[in-house]
Amino acid sequence: MTLLRVENLTASYGVSQALYGVDLDVAEGEVTALMGRNGMGKTTTVKALCRMIQSQGTLTLNGQDLHALPSHKVARLGVGLVPEGRRCFADLSVRENLIAAARPGYWTLSRVTQLFPRLAERQGQAAASLSGGEQHMLAIGRALMTNPRLLVLDEATEGLAPIVRQEIWAALHRLRQETSVAILLIDKSLKELATVSDKAVILERGRTVWSGSMADLTPEISEKYVGV
Ligand code: ATP
């Protein structure tokens, strides 16, 4: 069943238009990679979805119009965002950060710390004292603690050490196999995206130019639109 529906989405920063017609569907339990070169509109699409910028077009979650809602209500409706540049409460401990985000559901402190054992080891530490990779895991953990129906990861592993990236990809594989959360995923690593995603949507200059099953994403298409 389609959870997120985006049709002909447009958005601007002041007078500068960034999205010209984004089409994108995410079904329950499905992982969709949102792809495209730098500056093509991926983050802007995420911002529109989370109601952080004004947009026009169709934007529904489970049939409900997101345009009618402020961003905190979109979060309450079940969109868990892991933003670019991860945001945690620096002075709170890992445990406090996780508990502060908690809403009832499958994801609890114990399940999140099982998914990311490093967070279990550092439960009492202030978030500010974690490495960049650990803070990223904490940001994903915080989003999971809200028990989202749709988890949105903008730059899932950007700028992280290879070992940490591997841990995050492994966690995403587990999420895909063990839970029904839908995931919208942005990352630069086509190889990893291809192994974890069911579908891909490619943006060019603020428009959807290709969408389909990951299995149908040929090297020619990737080279044309993503430059790989
Ligand atoms: P990247 O992979 O580099 O993060 P992206 O695909 O996420 O790129 P966006 O960040 O959505 O792309 O940018 C889409 C367009 O909107 C670009 O032309 C960018 O310059 C412009 N843009 C992004 N943020 C702003 C802003 N705050 N003010 C004005 N223009 C912006």
Side-chain angles (χ1 to χ4, degrees):
M1 198 190 87
T2 301
L3 181 63
L4 174 69
R5 172 157 291 147
V6 176
E7 274 168 19
N8 198 24
L9 193 74
T10 58
S12 302
Y13 295 98
V15 293
S16 163
Q17 189 164 351
L19 302 184
Y20 290 86
V22 173
D23 298 315
L24 153 73
D25 276 356
V26 183
E28 255 170 88
E30 195 174 67
V31 182
T32 300
L34 183 59
M35 300 167 68
R37 293 191 179 89
N38 289 346
M40 292 302 167
K42 303 179 297 293
T43 296
T44 306
T45 301
V46 168
K47 284 185 188 164
L49 155 63
C50 296
R51 302 287 296 125
M52 290 151 69
I53 60 162
Q54 293 297 322
S55 56
Q56 301 76 39
T58 302
L59 185 58
T60 62
L61 189 79
N62 205 24
Q64 193 159 345
D65 181 15
L66 298 183
H67 279 134
L69 302 176
S71 57
H72 70 276
K73 291 227 167 117
V74 172
R76 204 167 300 159
L77 207 60
V79 177
L81 172 65
V82 183
E84 231 180 340
R86 52 189 179 269
R87 306 220 171 98
C88 301
F89 295 112
D91 297 335
L92 296 187
S93 69
V94 166
R95 185 188 163 84
E96 287 164 341
N97 261 284
L98 292 172
I99 288 173
R103 286 215 308 267
Y106 176 85
W107 290 103
T108 56
L109 185 65
S110 124
R111 287 208 165 102
V112 167
T113 49
Q114 272 166 32
L115 185 69
F116 291 117
R118 281 174 189 244
L119 296 183
E121 291 159 20
R122 288 162 178 72
Q123 278 196 54
Q125 256 177 254
S129 71
L130 299 179
S131 71
E134 289 158 0
Q135 286 188 30
H136 203 82
M137 291 174 191
L138 181 55
I140 299 173
R142 278 178 53 81
L144 288 173
M145 288 294 283
T146 68
N147 277 290
R149 300 182 73 173
L150 173 68
L151 181 67
V152 181
L153 292 112
D154 193 356
E155 304 290 7
T157 65
E158 187 71 4
L160 302 178
I163 178 93
V164 176
R165 296 178 54 162
Q166 272 173 27
E167 287 178 43
I168 290 176
W169 288 115
L172 292 175
H173 277 284
R174 276 190 62 187
L175 285 182
R176 180 174 185 245
Q177 278 151 16
E178 295 172 21
T179 74
S180 64
V181 68
I183 303 178
L184 182 63
L185 189 53
I186 299 174
D187 196 80
K188 299 237 156 36
S189 171
L190 181 60
K191 185 169 153 255
E192 301 291 356
L193 282 179
T195 63
V196 80
S197 308
D198 302 290
K199 282 190 347 194
V201 173
I202 303 181
L203 302 187
E204 190 167 69
R205 292 170 208 233
R207 277 191 181 85
T208 297
V209 288
W210 189 90
S211 60
S213 144
M214 239 329 154
D216 294 333
L217 181 62
T218 62
E220 290 74 25
I221 296 168
S222 323
E223 191 173 339
K224 180 169 178 193
Y225 294 121
V226 193
V228 185

